[in-house]
Amino acid sequence: MPTDVDIRRAFTFGGLLEAIVQTVRRGATLILSAVLLGFFLLGYATAYLPPSSFWWTSPFAVLLPYVSLLLLPLAVVQALVAIRQRMGRRLLIAMAVLAMIGVRFGPTVWSEPQTVRPGDLALTSFNAPTHGPSRSELADAFVAVVDRANPDILALQEANAYVHTDRGSLYERYTAPHLYALVRSRPFRAPTHFPAGVRLSQPVVAQLTLDSLTLVGEKESIERGRVAPASRVTFSWKGQRVVLYNLHLYTVSKRKPWRETGFQWLSPGTWGPYLAAYRAATLRRAEEARVIRAAIEQEMSPVIVTGDFNSTVHHWEYRHIAEGMKNVLQEAATGWRATYPSRSPLVGIDHILVGPEWEVVSGTVGESYPYTDHRPVHARIRLPER
């Protein structure tokens, strides 16, 4: 039979053990909350921080939706605990986090498409590079994707197009096989005026008449490896002149350090060159965004922007271009809105933006075909008739 001394010792040891467990649990919760909050704030602020100094926050913007999803229930629990224990500072922090999540993601959650009308303009933006096993198989698969969407205007990225003369037809040898097959077999046509002798990577074709296509932001010749980040296309719709910018902002090299032979996590020699390349790519993408934004601000006609931004809606580059414009996937979308990678899309880096003159009817992310790592974005927009 235990004595009083044994009972006191057991009680003291049990109480100490319980106190240690509670302390560890609180410490782990505090560390997790601090890490998530730090990731959240960095990702949230990336849209407003100048890339020249804060280029390194870009990965946090990519993770922001998923960090917010983890932080949301934690903030709710912390708010309830703070109310029960009358902890004003903790309640203020929790409510601020919830408000920030609501402001950034709330409009997207409650967006809703409108009724489609016969006079709506149908658009598709698609990064569809040439990666097929054969020209014919690539062409057949691509044309089938376009047939299902049946857009009035198709804006492509990483799909080379080439003409010998300003008013010439697409030259098969230097034009992507899937684009060439589409133009030959379907009522899609390139703009009436097209840059001659240039292998264009952001072509636009349409089932309506496109007046002209010019390059935006080209600083060096194509032959020297500097591809213009955007194409500018003009056309008429509902009696009004419309301008469309089809862009493909610069991306970081696909080579990742952890895929290299002899990779070491803690070696500066491994990460140094990659971080330098990442910084240079981010700064170049920001400069391209400035050039495109400056061009958009000069327009006097309704504007449409399509393309592969290589940036999510939480990045500075996207926000800079999209200022004063509407994203079709945020205004009137249905379904999952990520576009990359195509098999299991996790991030949305392909966008269609429209100016304030346009009314967004619907926006969707379509199904891809096996030869690209992006999914297309489809939109229907409406321009009030004069």
Side-chain angles (χ1 to χ4, degrees):
M1 187 172 182
T3 63
D4 293 341
V5 175
D6 294 331
I7 293 175
R8 285 197 299 271
R9 286 178 178 175
F11 178 78
T12 303
F13 178 76
L16 178 61
L17 182 61
E18 183 179 355
I20 292 174
V21 171
Q22 290 181 354
T23 301
V24 171
R25 183 183 301 170
R26 290 173 181 172
T29 302
L30 181 62
I31 292 174
L32 176 62
S33 301
V35 170
L36 288 177
L37 184 59
F39 280 24
F40 173 79
L41 293 176
L42 285 172
Y44 205 97
T46 299
Y48 314 106
L49 297 174
S52 57
S53 300
F54 295 93
W55 56 270
W56 51 273
T57 64
S58 183
F60 296 101
V62 175
L63 297 174
L64 181 62
Y66 303 99
V67 173
S68 300
L69 193 62
L70 294 174
L71 194 60
L72 179 61
L74 188 60
V76 172
V77 171
Q78 291 296 326
L80 295 176
V81 171
I83 292 174
R84 178 179 298 179
Q85 299 181 2
R86 297 183 178 180
M87 303 173 68
R89 183 178 300 177
R90 180 180 295 187
L91 177 62
L92 183 63
I93 294 174
M95 295 304 296
V97 170
L98 291 174
M100 292 172 69
I101 293 176
V103 169
R104 183 63 65 90
F105 298 99
T108 303
V109 173
W110 298 107
S111 65
E112 185 176 353
Q114 301 183 29
T115 302
V116 175
R117 296 178 186 173
D120 297 337
L121 180 63
L123 303 167
T124 292
S125 178
F126 196 9
N127 185 324
T130 307
H131 295 323
S134 67
R135 295 178 66 91
S136 60
E137 188 171 345
L138 176 65
D140 292 342
F142 175 77
V143 170
V145 171
V146 177
D147 282 343
R148 286 195 292 270
N150 192 31
D152 297 310
I153 299 178
L154 174 63
L156 298 172
Q157 302 87 45
E158 292 194 67
N160 289 336
Y162 184 93
V163 297
H164 280 303
T165 62
D166 179 63
R167 293 175 178 267
S169 59
L170 293 179
Y171 183 48
E172 182 178 9
R173 181 176 179 181
Y174 296 135
T175 298
H178 49 300
L179 173 58
Y180 187 79
L182 178 71
V183 173
R184 288 293 299 270
S185 63
R186 300 294 187 271
F188 283 90
R189 295 293 177 266
T192 304
H193 295 274
F194 198 86
V198 173
R199 193 176 300 183
L200 180 70
S201 297
Q202 285 82 252
V204 180
V205 295
Q207 299 188 74
L208 51 86
T209 300
L210 302 177
D211 299 327
S212 65
L213 185 149
T214 55
L215 300 178
V216 179
E218 182 185 17
K219 295 185 178 180
E220 300 176 17
S221 66
I222 301 299
E223 289 72 22
R224 294 176 61 185
R226 181 79 175 200
V227 178
S231 301
R232 178 182 180 272
V233 177
T234 60
F235 63 97
S236 296
W237 183 255
K238 300 295 183 181
Q240 298 190 51
R241 182 175 180 271
V242 178
V243 179
L244 184 149
Y245 285 84
N246 182 32
L247 59 88
H248 186 195
L249 299 185
Y250 192 71
T251 184
V252 182
S253 172
K254 294 183 178 180
R255 294 180 58 186
K256 302 298 185 292
W258 50 86
R259 295 178 180 174
E260 300 291 333
T261 303
F263 168 74
Q264 297 179 358
W265 280 100
L266 301 179
S267 173
T270 298
W271 287 101
Y274 176 75
L275 291 177
Y278 189 89
R279 177 180 180 275
T282 303
L283 296 182
R284 176 170 168 177
R285 188 164 59 242
E287 180 58 28
E288 292 176 344
R290 292 187 183 96
V291 171
I292 294 170
R293 181 64 203 179
I296 292 174
E297 290 178 348
Q298 300 298 317
E299 302 293 351
M300 302 299 292
S301 304
V303 174
I304 303 170
V305 180
T306 63
D308 176 6
F309 288 55
N310 276 309
S311 308
T312 70
V313 296
H314 312 294
H315 282 87
W316 183 93
E317 301 91 321
Y318 168 88
R319 290 268 170 163
H320 189 67
I321 294 175
E323 182 180 356
M325 306 189 75
K326 296 179 282 190
N327 188 319
V328 299
L329 294 182
Q330 291 185 311
E331 293 286 325
T334 56
W336 187 245
R337 297 164 194 184
T339 61
Y340 178 89
S342 58
R343 290 188 177 182
S344 301
L346 298 174
V347 293
I349 58 176
D350 303 273
H351 309 284
I352 295 180
L353 310 175
V354 296
E357 305 90 345
W358 295 94
E359 182 179 352
V360 179
V361 179
S362 66
T364 57
V365 174
E367 295 183 1
S368 183
Y369 71 120
Y371 310 126
T372 179
D373 50 5
H374 291 255
R375 293 197 175 193
V377 178
H378 308 301
R380 284 186 176 273
I381 57 178
R382 187 175 299 152
L383 188 63
E385 297 187 23
R386 290 184 176 178

